[in-house]
mmCIF file of all heavy atoms in Angstrom:
data_model
loop_
_atom_site.group_PDB
_atom_site.id
_atom_site.type_symbol
_atom_site.label_atom_id
_atom_site.label_comp_id
_atom_site.label_asym_id
_atom_site.label_seq_id
_atom_site.Cartn_x
_atom_site.Cartn_y
_atom_site.Cartn_z
ATOM 1 N N TRP A 120 -142.771 17.280 53.239
ATOM 2 C CA TRP A 120 -143.519 16.029 53.225
ATOM 3 C C TRP A 120 -142.624 14.891 52.755
ATOM 4 O O TRP A 120 -141.586 15.099 52.128
ATOM 5 C CB TRP A 120 -144.736 16.144 52.311
ATOM 6 C CG TRP A 120 -144.389 16.522 50.900
ATOM 7 C CD1 TRP A 120 -144.187 15.693 49.833
ATOM 8 C CD2 TRP A 120 -144.162 17.853 50.412
ATOM 9 N NE1 TRP A 120 -143.858 16.414 48.714
ATOM 10 C CE2 TRP A 120 -143.832 17.744 49.042
ATOM 11 C CE3 TRP A 120 -144.214 19.123 51.004
ATOM 12 C CZ2 TRP A 120 -143.550 18.854 48.254
ATOM 13 C CZ3 TRP A 120 -143.927 20.225 50.213
ATOM 14 C CH2 TRP A 120 -143.608 20.095 48.859
ATOM 15 N N GLU A 121 -143.051 13.670 53.088
ATOM 16 C CA GLU A 121 -142.326 12.459 52.701
ATOM 17 C C GLU A 121 -143.353 11.394 52.346
ATOM 18 O O GLU A 121 -144.289 11.154 53.105
ATOM 19 C CB GLU A 121 -141.435 11.991 53.851
ATOM 20 C CG GLU A 121 -140.672 10.710 53.571
ATOM 21 C CD GLU A 121 -139.814 10.299 54.759
ATOM 22 O OE1 GLU A 121 -138.827 11.000 55.047
ATOM 23 O OE2 GLU A 121 -140.155 9.287 55.408
ATOM 24 N N VAL A 122 -143.202 10.764 51.181
ATOM 25 C CA VAL A 122 -144.164 9.773 50.698
ATOM 26 C C VAL A 122 -143.498 8.404 50.636
ATOM 27 O O VAL A 122 -142.481 8.230 49.957
ATOM 28 C CB VAL A 122 -144.712 10.150 49.305
ATOM 29 C CG1 VAL A 122 -145.747 9.126 48.844
ATOM 30 C CG2 VAL A 122 -145.317 11.551 49.332
ATOM 31 N N ALA A 123 -144.060 7.432 51.366
ATOM 32 C CA ALA A 123 -143.580 6.048 51.332
ATOM 33 C C ALA A 123 -144.604 5.198 50.592
ATOM 34 O O ALA A 123 -145.793 5.526 50.553
ATOM 35 C CB ALA A 123 -143.386 5.517 52.751
ATOM 36 N N ASN A 124 -144.151 4.087 49.989
ATOM 37 C CA ASN A 124 -145.084 3.221 49.276
ATOM 38 C C ASN A 124 -144.888 1.767 49.667
ATOM 39 O O ASN A 124 -143.876 1.392 50.269
ATOM 40 C CB ASN A 124 -144.966 3.405 47.761
ATOM 41 C CG ASN A 124 -143.581 3.060 47.244
ATOM 42 O OD1 ASN A 124 -143.089 1.956 47.446
ATOM 43 N ND2 ASN A 124 -142.944 4.001 46.562
ATOM 44 N N VAL A 125 -145.889 0.952 49.344
ATOM 45 C CA VAL A 125 -145.835 -0.491 49.565
ATOM 46 C C VAL A 125 -146.022 -1.184 48.224
ATOM 47 O O VAL A 125 -146.550 -0.602 47.275
ATOM 48 C CB VAL A 125 -146.930 -0.966 50.548
ATOM 49 C CG1 VAL A 125 -146.689 -0.417 51.927
ATOM 50 C CG2 VAL A 125 -148.319 -0.579 50.046
ATOM 51 N N ARG A 135 -148.057 5.907 53.023
ATOM 52 C CA ARG A 135 -147.980 6.856 54.135
ATOM 53 C C ARG A 135 -147.391 8.170 53.644
ATOM 54 O O ARG A 135 -146.421 8.186 52.889
ATOM 55 C CB ARG A 135 -147.113 6.294 55.263
ATOM 56 C CG ARG A 135 -146.998 7.228 56.468
ATOM 57 C CD ARG A 135 -146.201 6.602 57.604
ATOM 58 N NE ARG A 135 -144.828 6.302 57.219
ATOM 59 C CZ ARG A 135 -144.329 5.081 57.111
ATOM 60 N NH1 ARG A 135 -145.099 4.026 57.339
ATOM 61 N NH2 ARG A 135 -143.074 4.894 56.765
ATOM 62 N N ARG A 164 -142.329 -3.052 51.897
ATOM 63 C CA ARG A 164 -142.101 -1.670 51.505
ATOM 64 C C ARG A 164 -141.641 -1.602 50.062
ATOM 65 O O ARG A 164 -141.082 -2.550 49.516
ATOM 66 C CB ARG A 164 -141.037 -1.009 52.391
ATOM 67 C CG ARG A 164 -141.241 -1.183 53.876
ATOM 68 C CD ARG A 164 -142.609 -0.746 54.333
ATOM 69 N NE ARG A 164 -142.924 0.619 53.956
ATOM 70 C CZ ARG A 164 -144.095 1.195 54.151
ATOM 71 N NH1 ARG A 164 -145.068 0.507 54.699
ATOM 72 N NH2 ARG A 164 -144.305 2.437 53.794
ATOM 73 N N GLY A 165 -141.877 -0.474 49.427
ATOM 74 C CA GLY A 165 -141.414 -0.270 48.065
ATOM 75 C C GLY A 165 -139.901 -0.158 48.003
ATOM 76 O O GLY A 165 -139.229 0.065 49.005
ATOM 77 N N LYS A 166 -139.361 -0.348 46.814
ATOM 78 C CA LYS A 166 -137.923 -0.247 46.640
ATOM 79 C C LYS A 166 -137.475 1.208 46.778
ATOM 80 O O LYS A 166 -138.177 2.126 46.396
ATOM 81 C CB LYS A 166 -137.526 -0.785 45.266
ATOM 82 C CG LYS A 166 -137.780 -2.281 45.097
ATOM 83 C CD LYS A 166 -137.341 -2.744 43.723
ATOM 84 C CE LYS A 166 -137.586 -4.236 43.560
ATOM 85 N NZ LYS A 166 -137.183 -4.710 42.216
ATOM 86 N N GLY A 167 -136.270 1.394 47.312
ATOM 87 C CA GLY A 167 -135.730 2.739 47.448
ATOM 88 C C GLY A 167 -136.253 3.448 48.682
ATOM 89 O O GLY A 167 -137.123 2.960 49.400
ATOM 90 N N LYS A 168 -135.719 4.638 48.915
ATOM 91 C CA LYS A 168 -136.110 5.426 50.075
ATOM 92 C C LYS A 168 -137.387 6.206 49.778
ATOM 93 O O LYS A 168 -137.715 6.453 48.621
ATOM 94 C CB LYS A 168 -134.981 6.389 50.441
ATOM 95 C CG LYS A 168 -133.697 5.697 50.889
ATOM 96 C CD LYS A 168 -132.634 6.722 51.246
ATOM 97 C CE LYS A 168 -131.359 6.034 51.715
ATOM 98 N NZ LYS A 168 -130.298 7.019 52.056
ATOM 99 N N PRO A 169 -138.126 6.601 50.832
ATOM 100 C CA PRO A 169 -139.313 7.436 50.611
ATOM 101 C C PRO A 169 -138.933 8.719 49.873
ATOM 102 O O PRO A 169 -137.840 9.255 50.051
ATOM 103 C CB PRO A 169 -139.799 7.737 52.035
ATOM 104 C CG PRO A 169 -139.259 6.618 52.865
ATOM 105 C CD PRO A 169 -137.933 6.268 52.253
ATOM 106 N N ARG A 170 -139.848 9.198 49.043
ATOM 107 C CA ARG A 170 -139.597 10.429 48.292
ATOM 108 C C ARG A 170 -139.931 11.634 49.165
ATOM 109 O O ARG A 170 -140.986 11.688 49.774
ATOM 110 C CB ARG A 170 -140.444 10.454 47.016
ATOM 111 C CG ARG A 170 -140.091 11.605 46.085
ATOM 112 C CD ARG A 170 -140.959 11.573 44.846
ATOM 113 N NE ARG A 170 -142.373 11.602 45.179
ATOM 114 C CZ ARG A 170 -143.007 12.693 45.580
ATOM 115 N NH1 ARG A 170 -142.357 13.835 45.726
ATOM 116 N NH2 ARG A 170 -144.295 12.648 45.858
ATOM 117 N N LYS A 171 -139.009 12.594 49.205
ATOM 118 C CA LYS A 171 -139.167 13.754 50.073
ATOM 119 C C LYS A 171 -139.371 15.022 49.247
ATOM 120 O O LYS A 171 -138.840 15.156 48.149
ATOM 121 C CB LYS A 171 -137.943 13.920 50.978
ATOM 122 C CG LYS A 171 -137.718 12.754 51.936
ATOM 123 C CD LYS A 171 -136.504 12.997 52.821
ATOM 124 C CE LYS A 171 -136.294 11.834 53.785
ATOM 125 N NZ LYS A 171 -135.133 12.062 54.676
ATOM 126 N N GLY A 172 -140.142 15.940 49.819
ATOM 127 C CA GLY A 172 -140.346 17.246 49.204
ATOM 128 C C GLY A 172 -140.337 18.328 50.266
ATOM 129 O O GLY A 172 -140.658 18.066 51.434
ATOM 130 N N ASP A 196 -149.107 8.100 44.317
ATOM 131 C CA ASP A 196 -148.070 9.070 44.682
ATOM 132 C C ASP A 196 -148.728 10.402 45.030
ATOM 133 O O ASP A 196 -149.853 10.686 44.598
ATOM 134 C CB ASP A 196 -147.078 9.270 43.536
ATOM 135 C CG ASP A 196 -145.754 9.871 44.011
ATOM 136 O OD1 ASP A 196 -145.579 10.038 45.239
ATOM 137 O OD2 ASP A 196 -144.900 10.176 43.164
#
Side-chain angles (χ1 to χ4, degrees):
W120 57 95
E121 178 180 291
V122 182
N124 61 57
V125 294
R135 181 176 62 247
R164 311 306 305 175
K166 294 181 180 179
K168 296 181 179 179
R170 188 180 56 75
K171 297 181 179 181
D196 200 5

